[in-house]
Amino acid sequence: MHMLMAIYGRPADPAAFKAHYEAVHLPIAERLPGVVDVVHTFDVTDVTGGDAFCVFTAVFRSRADLEAAMASEIGQELERDVPTY
């Protein structure tokens, strides 16, 4: 298994981030070719004292599957969406 993980710091507008993330971003991530599982949480405890707000993980069978997914049109759509939330 190979994982893509994103850790987001606290945004200026947490409610807007969460609304867009759940309504737009996650549905795109769930369509990634070859994705085995997609998990996220807003219930984050950062034991280092940081200010993590959201953690996202996408699981793939291999690094090659992850790279192919991110190079796909859906992967590109996912990347283009990141700056919007």
Side-chain angles (χ1 to χ4, degrees):
M1 292 294 176
H2 200 80
M3 294 178 10
L4 168 68
M5 181 176 280
I7 302 170
Y8 299 93
R10 185 157 302 280
D13 186 343
F17 178 105
K18 187 174 181 179
H20 180 89
Y21 199 78
E22 290 182 325
V24 178
H25 198 72
L26 287 175
I28 298 169
E30 291 168 348
R31 294 186 357 249
L32 285 167
V35 71
V36 173
D37 196 15
V38 172
V39 179
H40 78 287
T41 184
F42 294 104
D43 188 17
V44 179
T45 300
D46 186 339
V47 297
T48 67
D51 196 21
F53 176 72
C54 177
V55 176
F56 166 85
T57 304
V59 180
F60 296 86
R61 295 196 191 290
S62 68
R63 181 182 186 112
D65 285 353
L66 166 60
E67 290 172 351
M70 295 312 293
S72 73
E73 179 56 38
I74 296 170
Q76 297 301 305
E77 181 183 355
L78 188 70
E79 287 185 20
R80 285 190 302 271
D81 186 55
V82 171
T84 67
Y85 55 90

